């Protein structure tokens, strides 16, 4: 399939107007069996595990708030959510089962991949409302430098074992997030070829300045220009590969679709992610998204003692809702403001200490927007001649 057809497909997909309610990032535990050098969980984040009461309140209150017409999507995150065991996820299914007769519900599980086993995959394959996402930073020598066990051993072999188990199943998922740091940023070609050879769709996320990443920041940080050049090199490698349609590369597909349609898709680019996301921690504390967990000034309250309406009326959320390109210096004249909307609030806050600022990676976005825009225009011109 040619690149023009891929872009057409992206455009068509991005135009999907299916109604969606709040996506809930559920954190049943902040504990983890790994000790990743860039783990974004703050030390102040809740300890413990999610109780039955918190689990039921979280699911029922959010689903009822979203209503019958909108889909409620839960992302089971952490820490490492699979530490909760398969019984926990069977419990989720049972709570959602009766609601599912009337309401639209789906679930994603974001895992480090080391604890996957046949029983869990049997459950996910049987329950089609669940799918898996993993984390993998590239080939063994790159991955093991950032994603190791607490004892020091690398996790690559165990993650790949889990991916191999996934490939034996149908409709289970298996796309991965690769965090881009100083360790792997110069290896765009190696990353792309590795994921393509292993038939793994991937998303290249930049380092988040939070949690453990603050302690290792000087060693691992990347500049906005570095990330921009990385995305450009990765795009060219993928876009001009005759077999590039065999692999999905995010955020490049989203950016291409956003440029074509003029409508932003993706939490980083939406006009206000606050209308789409909410996060609930192990004890029921509610935050704007999972990245803010533990930052008390952005705590909305607790799901066990508040209605969703009251939580969404919290002054901190109202402050975040006011953020926009009209209020941020330098955004108003930008030609990409409609599909960028000043980027990620958390990226701005963790670097500048203010939410009413541009995303730290603003320069990166402008670089890749310019590059993809030119590539699309060139491709279309070639096809119409």
């Amino acid at each position: 399939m040619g690149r023009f057809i891929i872009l057409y497909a992206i455009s068509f997909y991005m135009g999907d107007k299916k109604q969606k309610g709040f996506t809930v990032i559920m954190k049943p535990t902040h504990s983890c069996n790994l000790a990743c050098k860039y783990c974004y969980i703050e030390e102040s984040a809740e300890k413990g595990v999610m109780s039955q009461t918190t689990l039921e309140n979280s699911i029922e209150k959010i689903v009822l708030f979203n209503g019958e017409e909108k889909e409620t999507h839960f992302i089971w995150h952490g820490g490492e959510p699979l530490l909760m065991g398969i019984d926990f996820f069977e419990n989720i299914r049972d709570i959602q089962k009766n609601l599912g007769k009337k309401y639209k519900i789906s679930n994603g599980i974001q895992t480090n991949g080391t604890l996957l086993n046949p029983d869990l995959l049997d459950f996910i394959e049987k329950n089609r409302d669940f799918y898996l996402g993993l984390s993998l930073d590239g080939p063994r020598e790159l991955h093991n430098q950032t994603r190791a066990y607490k004892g020091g051993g690398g996790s690559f072999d165990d993650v790949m074992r889990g991916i191999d188990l996934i490939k034996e199943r149908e409709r289970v998922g298996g796309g991965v997030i690769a965090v881009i740091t100083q360790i792997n940023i110069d290896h765009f070609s190696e990353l792309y070829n590795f994921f393509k050879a292993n038939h793994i769709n991937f998303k290249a996320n930049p380092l988040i300045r939070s949690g453990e990443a603050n302690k290792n920041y000087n060693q691992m940080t990347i500049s906005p220009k570095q990330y921009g050049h990385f995305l450009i090199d990765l795009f060219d490698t993928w876009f001009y590969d005759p077999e590039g349609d065999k692999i999905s590369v995010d955020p490049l597909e989203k950016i291409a679709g956003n440029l074509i349609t003029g409508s932003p898709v993706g939490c980083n680019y939406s006009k206000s992610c606050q209308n789409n996301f909410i996060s609930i921690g192990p004890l029921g504390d509610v935050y704007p998204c999972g990245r803010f967990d533990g930052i008390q000034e952005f705590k909305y309250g607790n799901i066990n003692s508040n209605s969703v309406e009251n939580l969404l009326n919290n002054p901190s959320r109202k402050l975040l809702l006011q953020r926009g390109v009209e209020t941020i210096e330098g955004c108003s004249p930008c030609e990409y403001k409609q599909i960028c909307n000043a980027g990620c609030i958390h990226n701005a806050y963790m670097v500048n200490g203010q939410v009413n600022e541009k995303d730290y990676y603003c320069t990166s976005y402008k670089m890749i927007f310019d590059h993809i825009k030119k590539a699309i225009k060139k491709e279309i011109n070639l096809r119409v001649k």
Side-chain angles (χ1 to χ4, degrees), residues 51 53-55 57-58 61 283-285 302-306 311:
S51 69
T53 297
T54 300
L55 182 63
N57 282 335
S58 299
K61 287 186 177 183
L283 306 183
D285 286 348
N302 192 283
I303 194 69
N304 295 311
S305 54
N306 289 274
L311 291 166

Side-chain angles (χ1 to χ4, degrees), residues 39 41 82 94 97 112 121 181 189 191-193 202 239 251 261 279 286 290 300 314 353 379-380 385:
C39 178
I41 303 298
L82 296 189
D94 293 341
K97 193 171 184 179
N112 62 38
L121 293 176
T181 67
S189 181
L191 289 171
Y192 176 78
N193 289 329
F202 73 102
F239 190 78
T261 64
S279 176
V286 179
Y300 292 167
N314 185 279
E379 183 71 18
I380 292 174
K385 287 181 179 179

Side-chain angles (χ1 to χ4, degrees), residues 10-17 20 203 250-259 261-271 276-277 338-341 369:
I10 292 169
S11 177
F12 181 82
Y13 173 77
M14 294 298 173
D16 182 14
K17 299 298 182 183
K20 295 181 180 179
K203 180 179 182 181
D250 200 11
L252 302 178
E253 288 188 356
K254 278 193 175 73
I255 293 170
N258 291 349
L259 284 164
T261 64
S263 299
V265 171
C267 63
N268 276 18
Y269 312 118
S270 63
K271 188 169 185 179
N276 304 105
F277 289 90
Q338 184 180 351
I339 61 166
C340 177
N341 292 293
F369 292 164

